[in-house]
Amino acid sequence: MYTLESLKHGLDNPHKILQEVNRLYHRRLRTWPYNRDGIDVFARDWDHLLILDACRYDMFAEQSSLPGELEPVRSKASATEEFLEANFDGRELLDTVYVTGSPMLHRHRSKIQTHLHDVINVWKEDGWNEEYRTVLPKTMTEAAIKAKERYPNKRLLVHYLQPHYPFLGPTGQKYFDLDRLDFEWYKLLSGDLNVSDAVVERAFKENLDVVLPEVARLFDEFSGKTVVSADHGQVIGERGFPIPIREYGHPQGIYSEELVKVPWLTYETGDRPKIIAENSGESATTDHDEEAARQRLEHLGYVS
């Protein structure tokens, strides 16, 4: 149901009303809690699943020179929270360790009920880079290698933050002020942020160029079947459907090609590990963790 506050927000911002009409179309008038045409990532065959946050299929196909077999698949989601809820919620995943640079699962743990063998929150404490306000790809790779050494008989799901904003390459550094904490994709649409679509696309590609060599490191480190995919894609000024409004970012519940068509690159080498499901080693959370998660998501461009 819509609240008075949401209706007022829509009247103040007509784009949001049109976006909600498109969302109702894609979610079949709210009968779909997520994209039911998407794949179930845990039902697929892999030993290591490397998730690149907000990575479009077309951009990956253009930028990547990684070995393996590449195919397009459809994600269940157009946003990370939705991806986690669609794939994780209500499941016993005791054969899986989630190594994540994203605070999203922690932030929504009361809603996304899942039981993993362990969750390694790299975004906490030393894993977070205060200069760039993100978890750098190298940090994620090193955390993944340590997790594999600790859990050799578990499936490893490694969630990199790139190519998601904030941008690490020269284009992003030039056109996007990382010191500002009020970044919103809507500012590109409104003109408050005067940056062309070509510049935004270049910044994304540079972020992808930063993370791909770190993925290649894991190809060398891991034995077995390793898959590279994404939780969702990204729109950069493309028009929505059925109402052809321009969009930026990755609005939840909108299942256009740019948002749900993601890569699925399979690379296999050496012997596959014997995967065993065992009781959880997940650690307890604290109030400090909760505040850190809120701040981290703000730095990544999410409105609290």
Side-chain angles (χ1 to χ4, degrees):
M1 296 297 292
Y2 302 107
T3 65
L4 288 175
E5 183 179 355
S6 67
L7 291 172
K8 181 179 183 302
H9 183 62
L11 292 173
D12 293 338
N13 184 355
H15 178 271
K16 294 292 185 182
I17 295 178
L18 299 177
Q19 185 185 77
E20 181 62 17
V21 173
N22 283 349
R23 182 176 290 111
L24 288 170
Y25 168 83
H26 286 282
R27 281 189 163 172
R28 308 300 194 268
L29 298 177
R30 292 193 168 192
T31 61
W32 284 18
Y34 52 79
N35 178 26
R36 289 181 177 172
D37 290 334
I39 65 165
D40 177 350
V41 298
F42 289 107
R44 288 245 170 164
D45 182 28
W46 50 266
D47 303 310
H48 321 99
L49 177 58
L50 314 181
I51 293 293
L52 305 182
D53 205 307
C55 184
R56 293 163 53 138
Y57 174 81
D58 57 351
M59 197 174 291
F60 182 89
E62 180 180 346
Q63 298 298 110
S64 172
S65 60
L66 293 169
E69 296 295 325
L70 176 63
E71 62 175 316
V73 296
R74 297 184 72 80
S75 174
K76 285 181 177 287
S78 57
T80 302
E81 178 188 346
E82 189 179 24
F83 172 83
L84 294 171
E85 187 169 2
N87 287 283
F88 286 60
D89 187 44
R91 303 182 81 159
E92 291 283 328
L93 301 168
L94 295 177
D95 64 349
T96 303
V97 172
Y98 183 40
V99 185
T100 178
S102 172
M104 198 65 78
L105 180 61
H106 174 89
R107 183 67 167 163
H108 298 285
R109 64 192 183 280
S110 62
K111 179 172 69 172
I112 303 170
Q113 298 291 319
T114 188
H115 197 187
L116 294 136
H117 181 75
D118 200 3
V119 178
I120 299 174
N121 289 304
V122 186
W123 53 270
K124 292 184 183 180
E125 305 299 340
D126 295 339
W128 186 259
N129 185 286
E130 290 292 349
E131 178 182 359
Y132 291 101
R133 301 181 188 277
T134 190
V135 178
L136 297 177
K138 181 180 179 181
T139 305
M140 282 300 304
T141 298
E142 291 170 352
I145 292 171
K146 290 179 181 177
K148 187 62 180 179
E149 292 171 350
R150 182 178 177 186
Y151 300 112
N153 295 318
K154 298 292 176 288
R155 298 175 100 186
L156 214 62
L157 197 162
V158 182
H159 192 153
Y160 286 91
L161 285 179
Q162 291 71 36
H164 194 286
Y165 175 89
F167 300 123
L168 306 178
T171 299
Q173 296 291 302
K174 179 179 179 180
Y175 289 96
F176 295 86
D177 185 0
L178 297 184
D179 290 330
R180 293 178 66 94
L181 297 182
D182 59 349
F183 176 81
E184 295 178 42
W185 288 113
Y186 181 73
K187 292 184 178 181
L188 289 169
L189 189 66
S190 67
D192 292 340
L193 186 58
N194 187 22
V195 179
S196 71
D197 293 351
V199 167
V200 178
E201 183 175 345
R202 188 160 69 247
F204 261 98
K205 288 181 177 178
E206 289 174 0
N207 254 24
L208 193 51
D209 289 341
V210 171
V211 71
L212 288 175
E214 293 300 321
V215 171
R217 282 181 61 195
L218 293 186
F219 277 18
D220 293 335
E221 290 282 343
F222 292 165
S223 176
K225 182 176 284 190
T226 300
V227 170
V228 184
S229 189
D231 50 354
H232 55 81
Q234 176 81 14
V235 279
I236 307 174
E238 288 89 356
R239 294 193 177 274
F241 185 84
I243 300 178
I245 55 174
R246 297 181 73 206
E247 292 280 19
Y248 290 89
H250 41 86
Q252 188 163 309
I254 305 291
Y255 305 137
S256 61
E257 285 289 295
E258 297 83 5
L259 286 169
V260 298
K261 185 178 179 180
V262 296
W264 190 270
L265 176 71
T266 304
Y267 177 73
E268 188 167 356
T269 183
D271 296 330
R272 298 189 65 175
K274 182 180 179 181
I275 303 299
I276 301 171
E278 297 176 295
N279 287 332
S280 174
E282 293 177 63
S283 56
T285 60
T286 66
D287 291 341
H288 172 74
D289 295 336
E290 185 64 25
E291 177 60 19
R294 186 194 65 77
Q295 291 179 356
R296 303 301 195 240
L297 289 171
E298 186 179 51
H299 294 168
L300 293 171
Y302 293 95
V303 180
S304 300

